[in-house]
Amino acid sequence: MMKRSLSLGLIVAGLAGALTVSAMAEDAAKAAAPAAHEAAAPAEEGGGHSQPQPPRNDWSFAGVFGHYDQAQLQRGFRVFREVCSNCHSANLLAFRNLSEPGGPEFSEAQVKALAAEYKVKELSDKTGDIEERPARPSDHWPAPFANEIKAREANGGALPPDMSVLAKARSFHKPFPFFIFDALPGLSYQEHGVDYITAIMNGYRDEKPHGAKADDTLAAGQSWNEYMPGYKIGMPKPLSDGAVDYTDGTPKTVDQYAKDVSAFLMWTAEPKLEQRKKTGMRALIFLLVLSGLLYATKKRIWSNVPH
Amino acid sequence: MSNVATTTTMPNSAHPEPTRRDMLYLATGAVAAVGAGALAWPFIAQMNPDASTLALSSTEVDIGAIPEGQIVTIKWRGKPVFIRHRTKKEIEEAVNVDVAKLPDPQPDSARVKKPEWLVVIGVCTHLGCIPLGHQGPYDGWFCPCHGSAYDTSGRIRQGPAPRNLVVPDYAFLTPTKIKVG
Amino acid sequence: MSGPSTYVPKNAAARWLEQRLPILGFAHDSFVAYPTPKNLNYWWTFGAILSFMLVAQIVTGVVLAMHYTANTNLAFNSVEHIMRDVNWGWMIRYLHANGASMFFLAVYIHIARGLYYGSYKAPREVLWILGVVIFLLMMATAFMGYVLPWGQMSFWGATVITNLFSAIPLVGDAITTWLWGGYSVDNPTLNRFFSLHYLLPFMIAAVVGLHVWALHVVGQNNPAGVDIKDVAKDSVPFTPHATMKDALGISVFLMLFAWFAFFVPNYLGHSDNYIEANPLVTPPHIVPEWYFLPFYAILRAIPSKLGGVIFMFGSIAVLFVLPWLDTSRVRSATYRPLYKIFFWLFILCVICLGWLGSQPPEGGAVLAARILTAYYFIHFLVIMPLLGLFETTKPVPASIADAVLAKQAGQAGAAH
């Protein structure tokens, strides 16, 4: 009895402890992350043929208290709008999302004005033809190409993927036992997709990367990329320093653009992330209290039953 | 609490019955009930209109092209909205009525923003059918389902419907453009 | 249970109802007065946890069905619509998706507990077989549910698994076409999977009803593996003793569930399933959900198509006959020193198979999967029958009360 109740108590306490320290642990992990990466990267490259893993970045939305950096999402939107959206669609993104809580939170007036700059096609109930009209906040982000065939035609045969949930649709494999750590409270790592996208943006190389096969060559339109599986990417280098104007003094570098647009894509993929983490924290605290009470109740009920 | 606990702890009893008043049990039950209640809400709220539906809840309509005497039906929140460009005669019919004698007394001026434009939700207040325009004894609308007749202000004049046709929230954005909702 | 009910209606209304439909007495006998072995440990709370998870999956699932559209053009976007626009939709969907994983985690622990304590042995064979039926229904339900979001893994998982049936000689192709309702996984397939995914949980609930019925006829097994002999000395009433313990078990389990659903909701899924299904592009590496991985490893370990299918289904079918494969007269592993070792070897074998199922079938992984597949079947078909004949077991306590006394004496001795 003692042993079992002790072990259960330990489990409950462990979860409680894990929760409370996870914030601290995250901070520690963040502090350690860049150093760890720098140490790890050469080691992997030294291993020869294995492709380097995307470096781990410090994201405001990581961890149990994670929330989006509104200014970063607004900058990311700028990069998305001026660069990415020329070739990539984001069909699930509605203009209205841009003013919803937990996102870039532009004002409703800003979103309305923004939407009006875009045209959407709609069946006219007057003429019966498909006609263009200015977009409204309830409309979705217009795709740059009418369909896949047109998109491939304009991009040398390559299809720029839809960006709506791209940050969740991309990942990279971590070897045993590291993938287990990614699930644990305090260590949890769920930002594979954003780190991957950032790495791709930063991963363009003029020279053939070390890991690539010696006889590998680029086809027309391809570029070398350190982090793209197989090292070859069909997308030309999309970002260059200064290409997008930032008005808030944030450095106009490829790395900064990459991070900002990745954060923006994380938001388009998971717009309810803040609400999710807040609700989750409440749920866990509630369950902790309930479990404690249930444990005390159970203990009292069983107090004079030898078992 | 400790008193209660000691009185219930009967020696030699294999199955002691805990007292219901025991604070611990009450607290546990209360916390569990609060949790169940909090969990129930999302499952209820999910049936409310979702964000994409709410985003569509206002519609802008260009009314410049509607000739006098015509009724145009637009769709708003899945329901028809009648926009009627009233003639002088129709306006007079609507205004020159003894309001006090109406089943649902309401002056015409309370139902329009500009006399020549009547905007009403095209759903009979009886049981939800769509009344037919320019029909019935009062030259307004006539509901084919159960015979309710509305006048040129959309007010109920005869038949089983209890209330006038509902005027939705709308505003003139420009003299020829209204926003419903 | 046998014998007349001990239930005494407390008021006139209850008496009135009881004379017409003795449902209150039935509930009282089954969930209040029901004698529960007093030595049950926390592994026995997983039955209640599973009941809770079944209800949770049905409730969240019914809600999701209100917003989901089973059409190949709309399915992917309708799931994202739930995630983005429906009030609390993101939560309900993540609870449902991770709930499936939690359900399987709980059922694996439940099965392992049954294996360890010999809960399948006479007179609980029917109880065990019903449990295996539930497990099979769960697998079918989970598989079809995973197809519904219509991502790349949905589509290619459905393609690979339905193609298993084409291995059947002569009629295989006809069966596969029949399953698909076409010449590939397409809209008719998605529609019927949705229909069946909605239906099967209610069939699970029905079999769970039989499972609980069978349990209440033969009584619960317990860590000592000896049945209740003296109700007063060996058991406690189900309520409040077992109910409160089960409630605690559920609450602690929910913490794990909440952690996954709210903080690492996509950890157990595959990123490729956020790419809409494309019948012309196969993902480089198709893997099923984690709970199918051991069986997937067995499937791939066999170098013949039909053989792989037979062995995969056989790995579950063997559970049906386990009550007759185990020849030991002692139930609980507590008193079976050798079986205890083989039990843990078996668990290790299944975990390793699971890991191999997630790896590309190349080189050493294939050989390892073959060895472990062989061991999986040897465990049931060779070790279990032989162990009962040759194992020297420890003395089994005469009653549950004796087992408790012996344990307390042991703990007291250890404490001094």
Side-chain angles (χ1 to χ4, degrees), chain A residues 96 100 112 138 286 289-290 293-294 296-297 300-301 304-305, chain B residues 9 14 16 22 24-25 28 31-32 35 51-52 55-56 60:
Chain A
R96 65 183 159 83
E100 282 167 7
K112 208 172 166 183
S138 59
F286 168 81
V289 171
L290 181 66
L293 282 167
L294 283 169
T297 306
R300 184 170 297 181
I301 286 170
N304 42 21
V305 182
Chain B
T9 314
D22 195 314
L24 179 63
Y25 303 154
T28 310
V31 169
S52 63
L56 295 171
E60 287 174 18

Side-chain angles (χ1 to χ4, degrees), chain A residues 4 8 96 165 168-169 171 179-180 183 185 268 270 272 275-276 280 291 294 297-298 301-302 307, chain C residues 38 42 83-85 90 94 236 241 244 247-248 251 255 259 262-263 265-267 271 274 407-408 411:
Chain A
R4 245 183 296 139
L8 191 85
R96 65 183 159 83
V165 285
K168 288 198 287 189
S171 192
F179 71 85
I180 292 173
T268 58
E270 190 81 352
K272 305 290 180 188
Q275 197 189 357
R276 164 160 69 77
S291 299
L294 283 169
T297 306
K298 181 254 152 198
I301 286 170
W302 284 81
H307 59 283
Chain C
K38 62 184 190 177
Y42 278 99
M83 295 293 292
R84 289 153 183 273
D85 292 334
W90 59 268
Y94 274 153
V236 287
H241 295 82
M244 286 315 291
L248 174 58
S251 185
M255 284 202 242
W259 170 257
F262 288 105
F263 294 104
N266 295 306
Y267 177 78
S271 57
Y274 280 104
K407 201 175 78 180
Q408 282 176 331
Q411 277 175 1

Side-chain angles (χ1 to χ4, degrees), chain A residues 182-247:
Chain A
D182 290 348
L184 302 180
L187 297 169
S188 63
Y189 174 57
Q190 288 291 289
E191 290 73 38
H192 303 76
V194 255
D195 281 339
Y196 174 81
I197 294 170
T198 311
I200 291 287
M201 296 294 104
N202 282 321
Y204 282 84
R205 302 283 181 268
D206 296 332
E207 307 280 306
K208 184 194 279 192
H210 290 300
K213 286 192 200 107
D215 55 351
D216 241 357
T217 50
L218 292 176
Q222 285 187 324
S223 307
W224 294 117
N225 194 303
E226 189 83 46
Y227 298 101
M228 188 75 188
Y231 298 99
K232 288 185 280 190
I233 189 166
M235 171 171 68
K237 189 173 192 282
L239 298 169
S240 53
D241 288 347
V244 180
D245 198 20
Y246 280 166
T247 49

Side-chain angles (χ1 to χ4, degrees), chain B residues 47-96:
Chain B
M47 279 170 66
N48 273 327
D50 63 52
S52 63
T53 307
L54 292 175
L56 295 171
S57 58
S58 73
T59 305
E60 287 174 18
V61 193
D62 193 355
I63 57 173
I66 305 174
E68 205 175 89
Q70 267 216 8
I71 306 172
V72 163
T73 307
I74 60 149
K75 204 169 134 188
W76 174 66
R77 290 186 174 172
K79 293 183 286 196
V81 168
F82 298 144
I83 301 171
R84 182 168 187 157
H85 194 171
R86 300 194 292 188
T87 60
K88 276 228 165 59
K89 179 171 162 271
E90 285 169 344
I91 297 170
E92 274 164 26
E93 278 173 7
V95 175
N96 300 330

Side-chain angles (χ1 to χ4, degrees), chain C residues 267-347:
Chain C
Y267 177 78
L268 295 168
H270 196 290
S271 57
D272 278 354
N273 225 30
Y274 280 104
I275 303 171
E276 193 170 359
N278 183 348
L280 301 179
V281 181
T282 307
H285 187 192
I286 299 179
V287 278
E289 292 283 81
W290 68 268
Y291 39 81
F292 290 141
L293 288 173
F295 307 103
Y296 192 57
I298 291 174
L299 171 76
R300 295 192 310 186
I302 310 297
S304 112
K305 185 171 172 179
L306 180 62
V309 175
I310 288 172
F311 272 82
M312 186 180 73
F313 284 112
S315 66
I316 296 160
V318 72
L319 294 173
F320 281 113
V321 290
L322 174 61
W324 297 277
L325 289 173
D326 182 355
T327 52
S328 177
R329 275 182 295 171
V330 175
R331 274 199 201 111
S332 169
T334 314
Y335 310 107
R336 299 184 62 187
L338 271 179
Y339 174 62
K340 207 185 266 185
I341 296 167
F342 282 109
F343 169 82
W344 287 112
L345 280 176
F346 175 71
I347 298 291

